[in-house]
Amino acid sequence: MLAFEPARTARPVRKTRLFVLRVAARDMRERELVDLPKLFDEGDVIVVNDAATLPASLFGQTARGASVEIRLLAPPNDTREADAVIFGAGDWRTPTEHRAPPPLLGAGDTLVFGTGLEAVVVSRTSDRRLRIRFERSRDDVIASLYRAGHPVQYAHIREPLPLWEVQNVYASEPWAVEMPSAGRPLDFGALDALRKRGVAIARLTHSAGLSSISDHALDASLPWVERYRIPEETAALVGSAKRVIAVGTSVVRALESHAATGKLSATTDLRIDSRHELRAVDGLLTGMHDATTSHADLLSAFVPPDLLNEASRWALARGFLGHELGDSCLILDR
């Protein structure tokens, strides 16, 4: 199995590397991130997910005193309900697959978090997946999340990530429960250089969910239903673009869902893999993903399986880093 070594810090001691794959030419090479704008042409449109990252991880206790961590799958809705995944005792220093199993909770059980924030279990669909309802107004719940919650952490990162470090420079509404991390290379300098080349930067908002639960059954069912919203201006730019480059897999799912349904604002459970015929997106800027993830499945819609395997081995042999906050990969059709 192809597995990339993860980045160990959000502030790398070396520069983030860029792997460029041109599919039609079967061309693979490494470029500097400063070269990224030079890889696009006038008339191209780059679409980003501008969802800001919520502090979606909450540590608390059950009514019986068991320690738990709840990770929200999306912000609470207007009825103060949210889907969530529960983990047992432990913290980010322990990989989730090695954490203690969570207590089995049922409808009516309560959870208490910091700053007096409480939730009641509405339903349970598996040992780990719950639907909960917070016992405050939605505005109070969101405010309490920022006081008591933390961004989702990763055991391979040496230090805990503060919330500011998991935000893209163009982040707006807090819809994402994990950072749409494909956009990390697009700092203000890169965005300015792209615009000067005649490349349009368009936005959409997608509620990027958890990338992994470390539960085989649940991970195999990812991605789950997620919400997206595409401004009419973005839809118009995409419709007239020379090429459309998605920044992150969440953007691909949103644009391809819109292409299939015509809906600019909706929820989607679209899973994209080698059987999916791309209708809206021509290229992808993403991270380096292991072969067993749903993210890697999505790459197979852009790259034939033999070339995807060859490219993964090429990047792996040259020490590219994967997982969240790792190196970047640009896939272009030509």
Side-chain angles (χ1 to χ4, degrees):
M1 181 183 72
L2 297 176
F4 289 95
E5 181 73 13
R8 301 296 179 184
T9 175
R11 296 171 292 279
V13 294
R14 56 148 183 81
K15 293 181 180 179
T16 299
R17 300 164 70 187
L18 176 65
F19 171 44
V20 180
L21 172 61
R22 294 185 184 274
V23 176
R26 301 180 69 92
D27 181 64
M28 291 165 270
R29 63 188 63 200
E30 181 176 351
R31 299 287 296 265
E32 298 287 338
L33 274 179
V34 70
D35 295 330
L36 184 64
K38 303 173 186 176
L39 302 174
F40 301 101
D41 303 318
E42 184 175 357
D44 288 344
V45 173
I46 292 177
V47 186
V48 301
N49 180 6
D50 68 2
T53 308
L54 273 170
S57 167
L58 289 165
F59 287 86
Q61 292 186 320
T62 68
R64 296 181 179 87
S67 296
V68 297
E69 179 191 1
I70 290 287
R71 295 183 182 180
L72 301 179
L73 301 179
N77 61 24
D78 291 340
T79 62
R80 310 185 312 281
E81 292 187 359
D83 291 315
V85 171
I86 185 170
F87 296 91
D91 61 21
W92 63 275
R93 296 173 181 84
T94 303
T96 49
E97 61 268 27
H98 298 152
R99 295 271 289 273
L104 288 178
L105 302 179
D109 285 333
T110 58
L111 297 161
V112 179
F113 308 104
T115 68
L117 182 64
E118 295 185 12
V120 62
V121 177
V122 176
S123 61
R124 175 168 63 89
T125 56
S126 75
D127 290 353
R128 289 193 182 276
R129 189 168 176 182
L130 308 172
R131 189 166 183 84
I132 60 176
R133 183 179 64 250
F134 291 98
E135 298 298 293
R136 293 185 182 180
S137 71
R138 186 176 184 276
D139 287 347
D140 283 347
V141 170
I142 296 297
S144 294
L145 287 178
Y146 280 93
R147 289 194 296 269
H150 308 271
V152 170
Q153 304 292 324
Y154 309 106
H156 58 266
I157 301 293
R158 293 192 181 99
E159 299 176 353
L161 295 166
L163 187 60
W164 63 263
E165 202 154 19
V166 289
Q167 309 292 351
N168 290 313
V169 299
Y170 45 75
S172 59
E173 294 184 70
W175 280 29
V177 298
E178 285 194 57
M179 180 184 187
S181 56
R184 292 181 76 236
L186 298 180
D187 58 16
F188 291 117
L191 294 172
D192 185 56
L194 285 163
R195 292 189 178 100
K196 288 179 178 177
R197 288 185 65 86
V199 177
I201 310 297
R203 297 169 174 249
L204 58 77
T205 311
H206 182 285
S207 58
L210 297 178
S211 58
S212 174
I213 318 300
S214 294
D215 177 295
H216 293 304
L218 291 179
D219 284 349
S221 66
L222 293 171
W224 292 330
V225 175
E226 294 168 338
R227 181 169 56 136
Y228 70 87
R229 184 180 64 211
I230 302 174
E232 291 185 2
E233 179 184 7
T234 294
L237 284 169
V238 167
S240 62
K242 180 179 178 181
R243 288 187 303 182
V244 175
I245 310 300
V247 178
T249 57
S250 61
V251 174
V252 179
R253 287 197 295 274
L255 291 179
E256 291 295 315
S257 295
H258 170 249
T261 67
K263 294 179 179 178
L264 290 173
S265 182
T267 59
T268 180
D269 61 356
L270 179 64
R271 185 181 179 112
I272 297 174
D273 56 24
S274 60
R275 296 165 293 182
H276 179 86
E277 183 177 349
L278 295 167
R279 300 173 59 182
V281 182
D282 304 299
L284 173 64
L285 178 65
T286 184
M288 310 296 297
H289 299 297
D290 291 346
T292 57
T293 64
S294 62
H295 295 75
D297 283 346
L298 185 144
L299 300 188
S300 66
F302 291 84
V303 187
D306 65 321
L307 180 57
L308 184 58
N309 187 58
E310 181 185 348
S312 296
R313 291 187 183 282
W314 189 96
L316 189 64
R318 285 158 178 79
F320 279 80
L321 299 182
H323 300 266
E324 293 78 9
L325 313 179
D327 290 318
S328 294
C329 172
L330 177 63
I331 299 173
L332 297 171
D333 57 345
R334 59 187 186 278

